[in-house]
Amino acid sequence: MGWGSVLLFLAVALLCQRTSSIGANWGTQASHPLPPDIVVRMLRENGIQKVKLFDAEYDTLRALGKSGIEVMVGIPNEMLATLASSLKAAEKWVAKNVSTHISTDNVNIRYVAVGNEPFLSTYNGSYLSTTFPALRNIQIAIIKAGLQNQVKVTCPLNADVYDSSTTFPSGGDFRANIRDLMITIVKFLSENGGPFTVNIYPFISLYNNPDFPVDYAFFDGNSQPLNDGGTYYYNMFDANYDTLVHALEKNGFGNMPIIIGEIGWPTDGDSNANVDYARKFNQGFMSHISGGKGTPRRPGPIDAYLFSLIDEDAKSVQPGYFERHWGIFTFDGLPKYLLNLGTTNSGSLIQAKGVRYLQRKWCVMRPNVRLDDPQVAPSVSYACSLGDCTSLGVGTSCANLDGKQNISYAFNSYYQIQDQIDTACKFPNISEVTKTDPSTGTCRFPIMIEPYYGGAAREQRFFFPLLMAAAITVSIF
């Protein structure tokens, strides 16, 4: 190899090292999840080389085998107590969900995420005593399995585990009531080569605070900058990220690697959750990190996972209806908007292939039924409690529907989730099945995909009503 070739090789290698890495969160809280093999093919065709899971479902991991995709496998919060109290349980979990998939299925597992945002204030301290012991036991189990050089532990945390005493990033430190615990966890992660994983959501800040400056949530530089002692912040992400960097530095961990475990923008369920804002945010974020510039306090590549890959219609609607609409793809693998991840030749997302749908038919309100029919209100309440009406209401994709269309949407959601069985469109003398698509404008009346019964999907579908929040009340008249 000549000197010219060597220099070119080094330049390309350096460029690759300086390029930020994008992955995606693959959640499966859906009434009709896409089959794992279809999702893995979609990931590969879109050039997404990293995926973060929230569990260790067998079929999902097996489908990822031999794909080359880096995997962060998840341990739900509900398992923390068991794993914290029993090293043997941790060893069995690692053997079943990590070792076997690596050795038998050739799955490229790189991280185990122990818990998911376990210190959220809304959990009222439920996982404060179990998170670190579980983390420690999983690490011991990984070492016993001889996988410590390949698989690292981490604990995805919400950005509320740190704050600033001055409102500026430079005042960053861990939240006072969990500071000692956070330092214990960070020290343990650092000693074992694990990254600090944090979820940052500018949308939630906008959702929770009507006075939050909208432009500051995005990356186009139009907002009034925050001046932190001569360091200027033009967007919330950089300011939030550097608040964490300062917190780590303040406690002696300034070089600790950081992973953005979740970042994204929903497309429905709230007036600020729409396709235009989601495209603006996610494309802005991709452009922001694409050059490996980093943030003012920590220059360099940013390792991140978009939240999320696919919509999930069985997610809890706390803290809002938008929770079911974070996907860059719809539930059936259709791109929601033009988004260039820099990973495809087309510069746009590629839809899922091989998706099989139920019949082209919908359940709607009979045209001759009056809105004040006494059967309407209880029927809609029932349909929404067991279906998904989060696209209805002010500021949503279906906001322009009239009263009868709202009712039809509710009926159809229940009908589709119940696999179009005849009895699911038997609301007393007020519903009927039609083969004419009632979709209109931005409001899509979906047809569900054929049920996938592999792995945990069968269990999830059987208990689907239990996964739903309480009945969703919408204004339909």
Side-chain angles (χ1 to χ4, degrees):
M1 182 183 293
W3 280 110
S5 299
V6 171
L7 290 173
L8 178 61
F9 174 81
L10 290 174
V12 171
L14 182 61
L15 179 62
C16 289
Q17 291 175 0
R18 296 292 298 176
T19 301
S20 297
S21 178
I22 195 67
N25 284 269
W26 176 4
T28 56
Q29 294 185 55
S31 64
H32 290 63
L34 281 169
D37 58 327
I38 289 179
V39 178
V40 171
R41 181 181 177 184
M42 183 173 72
L43 286 165
R44 295 182 70 177
E45 292 187 347
N46 282 281
I48 298 173
Q49 291 299 315
K50 302 185 307 178
V51 68
K52 178 170 166 282
L53 308 176
F54 294 91
D55 52 26
E57 203 279 311
Y58 177 82
D59 287 352
T60 298
L61 284 166
R62 190 169 184 185
L64 286 161
K66 300 179 182 178
S67 68
I69 296 171
E70 291 187 10
V71 178
M72 181 185 292
V73 66
I75 296 176
N77 291 336
E78 294 72 27
M79 294 185 64
L80 294 177
T82 299
L83 297 173
S85 62
S86 170
L87 177 58
K88 186 175 181 180
E91 290 172 355
K92 288 178 67 175
W93 190 93
V94 168
K96 177 183 176 181
N97 299 297
V98 181
S99 301
T100 298
H101 286 293
I102 290 175
S103 61
T104 304
D105 302 319
N106 198 21
V107 182
N108 186 17
I109 297 176
R110 304 298 293 273
Y111 301 101
V112 174
V114 182
N116 184 49
E117 301 186 330
F119 304 147
L120 275 177
S121 55
T122 52
Y123 290 147
N124 297 316
S126 298
Y127 307 109
L128 287 177
S129 64
T130 55
T131 299
F132 176 64
L135 185 72
R136 182 177 54 206
N137 282 347
I138 289 294
Q139 176 63 35
I140 294 170
I142 288 172
I143 292 172
K144 284 190 174 184
L147 295 172
Q148 67 273 21
N149 292 329
Q150 175 181 342
V151 182
K152 303 298 181 182
V153 294
T154 189
C155 179
L157 297 164
N158 189 274
D160 71 352
V161 299
Y162 51 88
D163 53 24
S164 172
S165 58
T166 64
T167 72
F168 295 107
S170 59
D173 202 350
F174 295 115
R175 207 169 74 211
N177 66 324
I178 57 170
R179 185 173 182 274
D180 291 344
L181 176 58
M182 283 302 306
I183 291 173
T184 298
I185 289 174
V186 171
K187 183 175 184 292
F188 182 80
L189 291 174
S190 179
E191 289 172 348
N192 290 280
F196 190 107
T197 302
V198 62
N199 303 336
I200 297 178
Y201 282 112
F203 170 81
I204 300 295
S205 297
L206 180 60
Y207 178 77
N208 288 332
N209 181 6
D211 296 323
F212 185 87
V214 176
D215 287 341
Y216 198 57
F218 299 97
F219 298 93
D220 47 18
N222 292 333
S223 67
Q224 180 71 27
L226 179 69
N227 181 359
D228 185 2
T231 300
Y232 290 87
Y233 290 91
Y234 293 87
N235 63 80
M236 182 194 162
F237 171 80
D238 282 358
N240 192 302
Y241 189 98
D242 278 2
T243 303
L244 170 59
V245 173
H246 278 284
L248 290 170
E249 290 176 351
K250 198 164 292 180
N251 291 286
F253 302 98
N255 295 321
M256 187 170 192
I258 297 172
I259 290 177
I260 304 301
E262 299 176 19
I263 187 167
W265 199 282
T267 56
D268 211 349
D270 181 70
S271 58
N272 287 315
N274 55 66
V275 166
D276 289 339
Y277 272 8
R279 181 196 301 116
K280 180 179 179 180
F281 180 84
N282 283 331
Q283 193 61 69
F285 179 69
M286 290 305 306
S287 300
H288 188 62
I289 69 170
S290 63
K293 181 182 177 182
T295 63
R297 190 67 182 179
R298 183 173 290 190
I302 290 176
D303 196 0
Y305 294 81
L306 289 178
F307 191 85
S308 66
L309 186 66
I310 307 167
D311 280 352
E312 300 170 77
D313 67 354
K315 284 194 72 176
S316 166
V317 292
Q318 295 297 327
Y321 295 166
F322 57 82
E323 282 293 338
R324 297 178 181 172
H325 303 279
W326 288 97
I328 57 176
F329 292 91
T330 58
F331 74 96
D332 51 348
L334 299 177
K336 293 185 184 178
Y337 46 85
L338 185 64
L339 179 63
N340 185 0
L341 299 178
T343 54
T344 63
N345 293 331
S346 64
S348 58
L349 298 175
I350 299 171
Q351 73 180 66
K353 295 182 174 64
V355 179
R356 297 172 63 91
Y357 292 87
L358 300 178
Q359 296 182 53
R360 283 185 57 82
K361 56 182 181 179
W362 297 260
C363 180
V364 297
M365 184 180 184
R366 289 183 181 178
N368 62 334
V369 175
R370 293 171 54 91
L371 290 175
D372 60 358
D373 186 298
Q375 295 292 343
V376 168
S379 295
V380 170
S381 179
Y382 180 82
C384 283
S385 69
L386 299 179
D388 179 22
C389 294
T390 57
S391 291
L392 300 178
V394 177
T396 63
S397 63
C398 297
N400 293 326
L401 299 185
D402 61 25
K404 288 192 173 184
Q405 288 172 319
N406 271 284
I407 296 165
S408 293
Y409 187 97
F411 288 174
N412 184 64
S413 175
Y414 174 74
Y415 178 64
Q416 300 295 336
I417 283 174
Q418 297 298 320
D419 297 333
Q420 299 181 352
I421 58 174
D422 290 343
T423 53
C425 194
K426 295 292 185 182
F427 296 97
N429 300 313
I430 59 174
S431 63
E432 65 182 17
V433 174
T434 180
K435 292 190 176 181
T436 301
D437 188 351
S439 301
T440 177
T442 60
C443 185
R444 178 190 181 196
F445 283 60
I447 299 174
M448 281 298 173
I449 61 176
E450 290 186 357
Y452 163 67
Y453 292 110
R458 182 188 296 106
E459 214 173 288
Q460 187 175 64
R461 284 176 49 70
F462 183 76
F463 290 109
F464 181 75
L466 300 179
L467 295 173
M468 299 310 236
I472 298 172
T473 304
V474 294
S475 176
I476 60 173
F477 304 116

